[in-house]
Amino acid sequence: MSSDSNKLLKDQRSCYGAVRHPGAITSMEVTGYQRVQWRVILCHILTVLSVGILWLIFHWKPVLEVLAKCHPCHLSQSDWVIIKDSFNQQFVARVWTEEVEDDCFPHPTESSEDDKQINLAIGVLEDDWKDTIQLQKQEEKNVIRYYTFEGSRYIWIENRLSFCSLSVLEEALTCGDIHRLQRGLSRHHQNAKRRVYGPNVIDVPVKSYFALLIEEVLNPFYIFQIFSIILWITETYYYYAGCILFISIVSIGISLYQTHKQSVTLRNMVKLTVNVQVRRDTGEEEMVNSQDLVPGDCIVIPDDGIQVPCDVALLTGECMVNESMLTGESVPVMKTPLPDQDANYSHEEHKRHTLFCGTQVVQSKNYTMDQQVVAVVVRTGFCTAKGELISSILYPKPLGFKFYKDAVKFIIFLAILALIGDIYSIVILERQKVSVGRVLMRVLDLITIIIPPALPAAMTVGTIYAQNRLKKYGIFCISPPRINICGKLKLICFDKTGTLTEEGLDIWGVVPMVGETFEPIVHDPRHLVGSPMLHALATCHSVTLLSNHLIGDPLDLKMIESTGWILNDEMTESDSVSSFGMKVLAVMKPPLLEEQSYGSKQEESLGILRRFPFDSSLQRMSVITKKPGNLPVEAYMKGAPEMVASFCRKETVPADFSEMLKHYARDGYRVLGLAYKTLSKDIAFEAVHKLKRNCVESEMTFLGFLIMRNILKPETRPVIDSLNRANFRTVMVTGDNMLTALNVARNCGMVGLKDRVIFANASPPSRDKPACVKFLPSDQAPGQQNGTEQQPGNHSLEQSYYHFALNGMSFAVVYDYFPDLLQKILLRGTVYARMAPNQKTQLVESLQKLEYSVGMCGDGANDCGALKTADAGISLSEAEASVASPFTSKIDNIECVPMVIREGRASLITSFGVFKYMAMYSMIQFVSVLIMYSIDSNLGDWQYLFFDLVITTTVAILMGRTGPAKELVLQRPVGSLINVSILGSLLLQTLLVILIQVLTYTVTTTQSWFVPVNTSSSNSKLPNYENTALFCVSGFQYLILATVLSKGQPFRKPLYSNVLFLVALILLYALMIFLTLYPLQFIRQILQLMLISDVNFKLLLLGFAALHFFTSLLFETAIDSGFLNLCLRPLCKKKQSKKLYKRLEKELCRNSAWPPLNEIIYAESGSIIHFE
């Protein structure tokens, strides 16, 4: 490895190249290059000498231009950088410099620790960068050095000796630092920072039509097309060249219009410019354009809401935010103020306190009349959450699908074939004493024939039809190439709540506690008048009023409905102070007295002082409430029962807690735990909002369980059954309780009623022992490793009838400390419970490392990361424009999953069929032309037009209209072109084409009326008998292969279901029969055909076509039935499967001792094995 390109595997310093950008999802090697003037001049000279060819190569491969014109250098001196991403793609970027002020980044803290300070690369505009320390202060020019890549700016950081994302400039900020920014920035400071951060815009580049035209014309496809047109004109194929030129112009025009329209549409969807009110350090407020915002600006959130123009941390008040554009989740979420503490701020960890760019604040509320709802800008432009999503759309990661890679290899193979044909042509034409110029034109002509220029466009036809069909069903796709990948899916992950089960849960009842024991279930909570349990149900939520309608989580809405209490959040500050002694955010009022028919009456309202919103990673939420009068403040909590119990005093948690929880969870109910505690009554409103969450959520009193029915959607079981029949692996990934998830898994068919379930329980390392894993059968109590245990032994299970189930904590331990064990668990893991959002993403990535093609179906929000990571993510959302996943379905159940898979399979088979047809179209024409070259002749101008436009274009366009089969089958389509069945089919069909055409030529020359071509003539030698006979037979060959290669079952509907294609084939067959038997004189003249009066010979040509049809059909049927594989099996050694999961599966099947039940497996001592 050169000194200019070394990979940073650890936290080491580097002067050259290879820098892993902090916070980046993928690593990037960055190598610096400096421009060399004599190299630049030499390249200009070579460009002129090569008639622009060198410039064209540099346009296609910018990396080559940098390598040719620059030499490697220290990154701090570079004019250009070459960026190599983790997919081995290379990009170039220009390094820019810009003058800045000295005080661009005054740190809000006074800490001088080196690791907390970010020093900008303050370089100087001098040739010798090493001598900067010798310059006088007044002679220095403080500059920043940066480059822009995929929309984001990367800036040179001196003490890191690397280019880093702008986000690192604020990474040392703590939550307390952000709170101290409430006073705002000065105009001078804002302007200075803007020079570094750039404008706050997510700029989708929209090129002019002229720029797009130049870019399109310089595309290799059109360069090849221009070369071909020039060649055809020199060969006097004026009509053919004119038609192709016209079609190319129309194609370019359509492409330019669509590209420009898509760019404008995306820009309009993404562009967000609003006027916002900003605080200044002088205490003043002013309206500024959102494009001028920089990190550190303090903005005011209006009461009636705003579309958030950047990522901001909420410091005061509450906001109800619609995040559907980013997450696909249509239910608004509550955002609360960022806690004022010393912990480092993280937009991921503090997402419940962060308003993300592109989301809509539908309502904001201040805590006091004299206090505004304010937030501090933390990220702008492409660094925001929305910017990262848009960047992933504009610059998607390569799909790595084998089909596309193999297509390129096959085109290279065709080019080699063209070279062989060229050699043959040169030999033949040389024997015929043909001039060198004519030989050269014939040789170049062969290249234009063997490599079909329309191949890339033809291969996308099936995908376009599939995308349109999905759109009709309400399934929208923002990444069409992923449709083909859906055809290769093997494993589907499903979220549970809202995906497999109904979103709105029905309240079944509550299980309250009296003393230290559980009471019988109370189905109507309104019976619990005045109890803390009823108060918890009425107040522990994030519901708010918008236009007199309750909005919030469906679970919270059901919970409030079950109590009968009424929310009022419009009480004036004076009224709330008179009633509760302080300001309140909202008031929960009991039902009217006449509606309370259960014993004693509840008249007192409850005021909500503060909310700690639900966080899926914390698995809980809590509120602080106040009763009227001089009564103490109380806190209520609800969440996962195990989590809630862990924050309660041990004496308040019943001894039969686990048994009662299992009793309801095993029956499929969703269970939440409830708890409360009494706080001081002498606490002020401001003090309440300074309380830390961990102080409130501690030493609580356990209240009991809230029991909800988790009802399966009616479509879930049939869909899972169909996936099981088609041999798909189905996996559940949920944040719910393990036993509830297991019950749903059995009810929906993921786990068979007779299948065994094994819990993989893992514990993190402690001071006296390393991390460990234990496998327990489901009929044992999971997690009881320190109690009475069964004697360890070999309890091996029959491989086909067991599933692993593990929770988020166990998954985290196995993921970090048991990488080898993780692979084995993933092979049979079916239920993953209590999984945090980042763990769902890790699970999908781990399954992909086993070489599964993974699909993910969820309802947005907590599933966003997994949806985008999966090979095919399907979000169940009403938001059509959501960028949460490649697919967005308005069908609110999992019926969309088999639809997408069926369309993916049909599209993949169509792509294979069209590819094979286009390849065979080239081979038919290639063979015809080679035979014609043997008599120094060729096809006619209008003959080329007839074959290419009338037949091939019609067939290629209509072939892909065949829809998908109605049912998923066990068999999966092949995903590679380098495959025995594909290559065998092409080889046999090519041999058959050659055989029929050679037979036609031979039989024609033996006829008594045959007159050979005058080879001494220098003209086109058309018409002639050889050409006419080959024209008739090859015309049928195009149609025969179009028919034979349009496979229907098992992945597509039969050919006859594609009515337009069927009608086109019938008409074209009829046309070819007419041209063979009874061609009209003017048609013969146009197509340059000889008049053949021998009817028997014409019928013989039809016989050759019929022979070709039935033989070709026989070949394809034999190949589809596996006959070719059967014949080749004795000649080939049995190869090990290339898929890692298949190899592991075989290995586990041979291991009768797996899994080792009731045995504790310890991790190797040492540090964590897994690396992020």
Side-chain angles (χ1 to χ4, degrees):
M1 183 177 286
S2 70
S3 62
D4 289 344
S5 183
N6 59 317
K7 191 135 196 161
L8 297 182
L9 297 177
K10 295 181 181 178
D11 188 18
Q12 63 186 48
R13 295 196 171 196
S14 170
C15 292
Y16 287 77
V19 177
R20 184 185 176 99
H21 290 297
I25 298 172
T26 56
S27 62
M28 294 188 291
E29 290 186 22
V30 183
T31 309
Y33 288 85
Q34 195 172 53
R35 199 176 179 89
V36 180
Q37 193 61 33
W38 69 265
R39 289 191 179 193
V40 175
I41 295 171
L42 179 61
C43 286
H44 288 324
I45 293 170
L46 292 175
T47 299
V48 174
L49 294 176
S50 64
V51 200
I53 292 176
L54 182 63
W55 177 83
L56 198 58
I57 292 171
F58 286 163
H59 175 77
W60 291 338
K61 290 287 184 182
V63 172
L64 296 179
E65 182 177 12
V66 172
L67 293 175
K69 295 181 178 180
C70 308
H71 71 83
C73 70
H74 192 283
L75 275 173
S76 63
Q77 292 178 288
S78 57
D79 300 320
W80 291 84
V81 290
I82 291 181
I83 304 159
K84 183 179 179 182
D85 66 12
S86 56
F87 305 105
N88 290 322
Q89 297 180 116
Q90 288 187 315
F91 307 89
V92 301
R94 175 79 181 271
V95 177
W96 302 92
T97 59
E98 188 165 346
E99 292 185 32
V100 295
E101 303 285 345
D102 278 339
D103 58 347
C104 274
F105 297 95
H107 202 277
T109 67
E110 296 184 2
S111 171
S112 60
E113 297 177 34
D114 183 61
D115 61 343
K116 287 189 178 180
Q117 292 284 352
I118 297 295
N119 297 322
L120 268 182
I122 301 297
V124 292
L125 298 178
E126 293 288 328
D127 291 334
D128 191 354
W129 65 279
K130 296 179 180 178
D131 294 334
T132 57
I133 57 172
Q134 300 174 7
L135 298 176
Q136 298 298 318
K137 181 69 178 176
Q138 61 268 24
E139 295 177 358
E140 292 185 8
K141 292 181 180 178
N142 296 324
V143 299
I144 58 167
R145 308 184 69 256
Y146 67 91
Y147 66 85
T148 303
F149 177 62
E150 294 185 349
S152 297
R153 183 178 286 195
Y154 293 85
I155 196 164
W156 176 255
I157 304 294
E158 190 67 43
N159 64 356
R160 298 194 181 193
L161 293 176
S162 68
F163 285 98
C164 300
S165 172
L166 280 171
S167 59
V168 305
L169 299 177
E170 310 291 339
E171 68 180 7
L173 285 177
T174 65
C175 298
D177 294 335
I178 294 174
H179 269 274
R180 285 186 282 278
L181 290 169
Q182 277 192 63
R183 64 181 181 275
L185 302 177
S186 66
R187 291 187 187 90
H188 171 75
H189 192 192
Q190 185 193 49
N191 292 333
K193 292 187 78 170
R194 195 182 308 119
R195 297 182 75 107
V196 177
Y197 286 94
N200 172 39
V201 290
I202 301 173
D203 188 28
V204 176
V206 178
K207 298 177 182 177
S208 66
Y209 278 109
F210 181 75
L212 287 172
L213 176 64
I214 298 299
E215 194 173 282
E216 193 79 9
V217 169
L218 293 178
N219 184 294
F221 165 74
Y222 285 110
I223 292 291
F224 182 66
Q225 200 80 300
I226 292 168
F227 161 76
S228 301
I229 289 170
I230 294 170
L231 179 65
W232 295 329
I233 291 173
T234 59
E235 291 187 301
T236 68
Y237 289 121
Y238 300 122
Y239 294 114
Y240 184 72
C243 283
I244 297 300
L245 179 61
F246 175 75
I247 291 171
S248 297
I249 291 172
V250 172
S251 175
I252 289 174
I254 293 171
S255 177
L256 292 185
Y257 173 74
Q258 290 180 339
T259 303
H260 190 268
K261 183 182 177 182
Q262 288 171 358
S263 298
V264 170
T265 301
L266 184 59
R267 183 184 63 182
N268 292 339
M269 185 181 84
V270 168
K271 190 175 181 180
L272 175 57
T273 303
V274 295
N275 290 326
V276 292
Q277 197 168 347
V278 175
R279 280 186 179 178
R280 293 298 178 205
D281 59 348
T282 58
E284 299 175 350
E285 292 181 358
E286 66 173 327
M287 296 296 291
V288 302
N289 192 290
S290 59
Q291 294 187 11
D292 297 331
L293 294 175
V294 295
D297 271 327
C298 182
I299 67 172
V300 178
I301 308 295
D303 292 345
D304 57 350
I306 187 176
Q307 193 167 6
V308 188
C310 50
D311 287 358
V312 296
L314 185 63
L315 302 187
T316 61
E318 288 183 344
C319 292
M320 187 60 76
V321 186
N322 183 348
E323 296 186 330
S324 61
M325 193 271 175
L326 296 183
T327 66
E329 177 62 70
S330 57
V331 178
V333 293
M334 175 71 74
K335 303 284 184 171
T336 56
L338 182 74
D340 188 354
Q341 56 192 27
D342 291 334
N344 276 9
Y345 170 79
S346 163
H347 65 273
E348 194 62 43
E349 183 181 344
H350 298 104
K351 63 183 179 182
R352 286 294 182 179
H353 315 294
T354 304
L355 310 180
F356 293 107
C357 178
T359 60
Q360 179 72 46
V361 176
V362 294
Q363 181 177 276
S364 70
K365 291 197 306 184
N366 54 12
Y367 289 155
T368 60
M369 293 296 292
D370 58 346
Q371 185 186 54
Q372 296 174 309
V373 179
V374 298
V376 166
V377 178
V378 289
R379 297 193 300 174
T380 58
F382 273 96
C383 291
T384 62
K386 179 181 178 181
E388 290 170 355
L389 286 173
I390 298 304
S391 180
S392 69
I393 295 173
L394 293 174
Y395 315 101
K397 68 178 184 180
L399 296 175
F401 194 35
K402 210 170 181 184
F403 173 66
Y404 301 119
K405 295 178 181 177
D406 290 347
V408 175
K409 293 178 184 176
F410 197 80
I411 290 173
I412 294 171
F413 168 73
L414 290 178
I416 295 170
L417 203 60
L419 182 62
I420 296 170
D422 285 340
I423 295 170
Y424 168 80
S425 301
I426 292 170
V427 172
I428 292 294
L429 295 172
E430 188 64 32
R431 287 180 180 176
Q432 298 172 5
K433 308 298 182 183
V434 177
S435 65
V436 175
R438 192 162 180 175
V439 169
L440 180 62
M441 283 194 292
R442 290 287 169 86
V443 165
L444 294 175
D445 200 23
L446 275 180
I447 296 174
T448 67
I449 290 171
I450 194 66
I451 303 175
L455 181 60
M459 285 171 59
T460 62
V461 169
T463 304
I464 293 169
Y465 282 126
Q467 186 179 10
N468 290 333
R469 285 193 295 265
L470 286 172
K471 193 172 182 178
K472 290 179 182 177
Y473 289 115
I475 302 171
F476 302 91
C477 177
I478 62 171
S479 179
R482 288 187 184 265
I483 294 176
N484 276 353
I485 294 178
C486 292
K488 290 296 294 176
L489 292 180
K490 173 63 179 174
L491 183 149
I492 316 293
C493 296
F494 293 95
D495 179 37
K496 182 179 73 69
T497 307
T499 304
L500 298 173
T501 62
E502 298 287 355
E503 180 70 57
L505 303 175
D506 290 331
I507 303 296
W508 182 243
V510 292
V511 181
M513 276 187 55
V514 175
E516 297 181 2
T517 59
F518 284 111
E519 289 286 296
I521 187 169
V522 178
H523 289 290
D524 190 344
R526 287 176 288 186
H527 284 286
L528 306 172
V529 178
S531 70
M533 172 69 84
L534 181 63
H535 295 167
L537 296 175
T539 60
C540 199
H541 55 75
S542 297
V543 174
T544 188
L545 279 172
L546 182 64
S547 301
N548 293 322
H549 288 91
L550 294 176
I551 58 171
D553 188 278
L555 185 151
D556 289 345
L557 295 175
K558 284 282 186 181
M559 189 174 71
I560 294 174
E561 182 186 337
S562 71
T563 64
W565 284 52
I566 302 163
L567 173 65
N568 177 19
D569 61 358
E570 296 180 355
M571 181 177 284
T572 63
E573 185 172 352
S574 57
D575 289 343
S576 63
V577 170
S578 64
S579 299
F580 297 96
M582 63 177 70
K583 163 75 176 175
V584 296
L585 301 181
V587 176
M588 294 301 300
K589 295 182 177 180
L592 298 175
L593 292 177
E594 57 268 21
E595 295 178 7
Q596 298 184 37
S597 56
Y598 306 104
S600 60
K601 308 292 184 182
Q602 171 92 27
E603 296 185 33
E604 290 182 339
S605 299
L606 294 175
I608 299 175
L609 305 179
R610 187 179 180 186
R611 296 183 178 100
F612 296 101
F614 176 79
D615 191 321
S616 54
S617 60
L618 300 178
Q619 299 180 349
R620 66 185 186 276
M621 77 157 292
S622 54
V623 296
I624 300 175
T625 67
K626 176 80 167 61
K627 293 178 181 178
N630 192 26
L631 294 173
V633 172
E634 293 177 325
Y636 293 96
M637 178 197 291
K638 85 166 186 288
E642 307 93 331
M643 184 61 69
V644 171
S646 68
F647 289 98
C648 295
R649 301 194 312 276
K650 288 186 178 179
E651 63 271 18
T652 68
V653 180
D656 59 346
F657 172 89
S658 296
E659 290 181 16
M660 186 65 71
L661 174 60
K662 281 195 290 183
H663 168 73
Y664 286 104
R666 191 180 289 118
D667 290 339
Y669 292 103
R670 184 172 183 184
V671 184
L672 293 180
L674 297 163
Y676 89 111
K677 72 183 291 187
T678 301
L679 304 175
S680 169
K681 65 180 179 179
D682 297 325
I683 188 169
F685 180 80
E686 291 75 15
V688 167
H689 284 268
K690 291 182 180 178
L691 289 173
K692 294 183 178 179
R693 184 167 188 166
N694 57 358
C695 294
V696 176
E697 297 175 339
S698 63
E699 297 295 310
M700 304 194 85
T701 300
F702 189 73
L703 289 174
F705 293 139
L706 170 63
I707 312 296
M708 292 160 290
R709 286 188 296 183
N710 217 186
I711 304 169
L712 273 182
K713 291 182 178 179
E715 301 84 4
T716 297
R717 181 66 192 240
V719 170
I720 297 296
D721 286 343
S722 70
L723 292 174
N724 289 339
R725 286 194 299 271
N727 199 27
F728 281 89
R729 268 198 65 194
T730 52
V731 171
M732 183 191 298
V733 193
T734 178
D736 207 346
N737 176 275
M738 171 62 77
L739 294 177
T740 303
L742 267 178
N743 180 273
V744 172
R746 288 194 184 277
N747 289 339
C748 73
M750 284 188 185
V751 177
L753 295 176
K754 296 183 180 179
D755 291 355
R756 297 285 302 276
V757 175
I758 299 172
F759 295 112
N761 282 1
S763 300
S766 58
R767 291 183 179 179
D768 55 344
K769 67 176 182 179
C772 61
V773 176
K774 186 175 182 181
F775 296 104
L776 297 171
S778 59
D779 51 7
Q780 253 182 262
Q784 302 293 328
Q785 293 192 13
N786 299 322
T788 305
E789 299 176 352
Q790 290 186 9
Q791 195 66 26
N794 180 14
H795 300 279
S796 64
L797 300 171
E798 190 176 342
Q799 295 293 323
S800 300
Y801 294 97
Y802 74 88
H803 305 261
F804 283 125
L806 62 162
N807 59 26
M809 187 187 77
S810 297
F811 176 81
V813 173
V814 175
Y815 185 80
D816 285 338
Y817 298 95
F818 299 89
D820 295 333
L821 202 58
L822 175 66
Q823 294 183 339
K824 298 178 180 179
I825 291 173
L826 291 176
L827 279 178
R828 291 302 176 91
T830 301
V831 179
Y832 298 85
R834 296 291 187 222
M835 295 285 279
N838 66 309
Q839 290 178 323
K840 294 183 180 183
T841 304
Q842 290 171 346
L843 173 64
V844 171
E845 289 172 342
S846 300
L847 290 167
Q848 288 173 328
K849 288 176 183 176
L850 289 179
E851 299 179 34
Y852 278 110
S853 292
V854 182
M856 172 74 194
C857 182
D859 56 354
N862 300 328
D863 308 315
C864 264
L867 288 168
K868 290 194 74 67
T869 302
D871 296 292
I874 308 172
S875 173
L876 307 184
S877 170
E878 287 294 320
E880 181 180 327
S882 170
V883 291
S885 63
F887 296 90
T888 303
S889 171
K890 286 192 172 183
I891 304 171
D892 66 344
N893 58 69
I894 63 172
E895 282 184 335
C896 59
V897 174
M899 282 184 188
V900 170
I901 295 173
R902 288 189 291 109
E903 287 291 357
R905 289 182 169 187
S907 175
L908 189 57
I909 290 299
T910 298
S911 298
F912 275 116
V914 172
F915 185 92
K916 286 166 66 177
Y917 176 73
M918 294 302 290
M920 289 309 304
Y921 142 75
S922 295
M923 291 306 300
I924 293 169
Q925 207 164 87
F926 183 65
V927 172
S928 298
V929 170
L930 282 180
I931 293 174
M932 296 306 297
Y933 279 5
S934 66
I935 57 172
D936 192 20
S937 185
N938 203 339
L939 295 177
D941 193 354
W942 285 96
Q943 289 176 355
Y944 275 122
L945 268 177
F946 178 76
F947 288 148
D948 287 6
L949 298 185
V950 178
I951 294 182
T952 305
T953 304
T954 304
V955 165
I957 290 173
L958 297 178
M959 185 186 281
R961 290 189 74 256
T962 307
K966 291 184 178 180
E967 295 292 332
L968 288 173
V969 294
L970 196 65
Q971 180 185 353
R972 287 201 304 160
V974 294
S976 169
L977 283 169
I978 312 301
N979 179 279
V980 172
S981 60
I982 301 291
L983 295 181
S985 170
L986 288 173
L987 179 62
L988 289 175
Q989 297 292 358
T990 301
L991 291 175
L992 185 58
V993 165
I994 295 171
L995 178 64
I996 295 296
Q997 289 202 29
V998 170
L999 182 62
T1000 301
Y1001 174 80
T1002 304
V1003 169
T1004 303
T1005 58
T1006 59
Q1007 297 301 308
S1008 58
W1009 41 260
F1010 172 73
V1011 178
V1013 174
N1014 181 9
T1015 55
S1016 62
S1017 173
S1018 60
N1019 56 22
S1020 64
K1021 304 179 179 63
L1022 290 177
N1024 58 62
Y1025 287 112
E1026 298 96 323
N1027 171 278
T1028 302
L1030 286 175
F1031 172 85
C1032 294
V1033 170
S1034 63
F1036 280 111
Q1037 287 180 327
Y1038 293 116
L1039 297 175
I1040 289 165
L1041 286 168
T1043 307
V1044 170
L1045 296 179
S1046 296
K1047 294 180 183 176
Q1049 297 294 342
F1051 305 114
R1052 299 198 304 171
K1053 292 178 180 178
L1055 184 148
Y1056 59 79
S1057 66
N1058 188 348
V1059 178
L1060 283 179
F1061 183 51
L1062 181 64
V1063 170
L1065 283 178
I1066 291 171
L1067 292 176
L1068 288 171
Y1069 272 120
L1071 180 60
M1072 281 310 305
I1073 293 171
F1074 168 73
L1075 290 175
T1076 303
L1077 294 179
Y1078 306 106
L1080 299 177
Q1081 183 178 355
F1082 81 94
I1083 293 178
R1084 288 204 316 270
Q1085 290 174 351
I1086 293 173
L1087 293 176
Q1088 296 176 283
L1089 300 175
M1090 286 289 285
L1091 175 61
I1092 300 175
S1093 55
D1094 189 344
V1095 177
N1096 291 332
F1097 178 75
K1098 293 178 181 179
L1099 293 175
L1100 183 62
L1101 294 181
L1102 293 180
F1104 287 160
L1107 174 65
H1108 189 168
F1109 178 83
F1110 289 110
T1111 309
S1112 179
L1113 187 62
L1114 180 66
F1115 282 166
E1116 285 300 307
T1117 304
I1119 290 169
D1120 287 344
S1121 62
F1123 182 74
L1124 190 60
N1125 289 327
L1126 196 63
C1127 294
L1128 294 176
R1129 189 172 295 170
L1131 303 176
C1132 303
K1133 291 183 180 178
K1134 191 173 182 180
K1135 292 183 179 179
Q1136 197 174 23
S1137 174
K1138 293 181 181 179
K1139 298 288 187 183
L1140 178 57
Y1141 72 87
K1142 290 183 179 179
R1143 298 200 301 272
L1144 287 172
E1145 188 73 46
K1146 288 183 179 179
E1147 182 184 321
L1148 290 184
C1149 286
R1150 291 194 295 266
N1151 185 359
S1152 59
W1154 176 261
L1157 301 183
N1158 301 302
E1159 294 182 10
I1160 300 177
I1161 303 171
Y1162 290 100
E1164 296 179 7
S1165 58
S1167 59
I1168 292 178
I1169 299 170
H1170 168 73
F1171 292 94
E1172 289 279 2

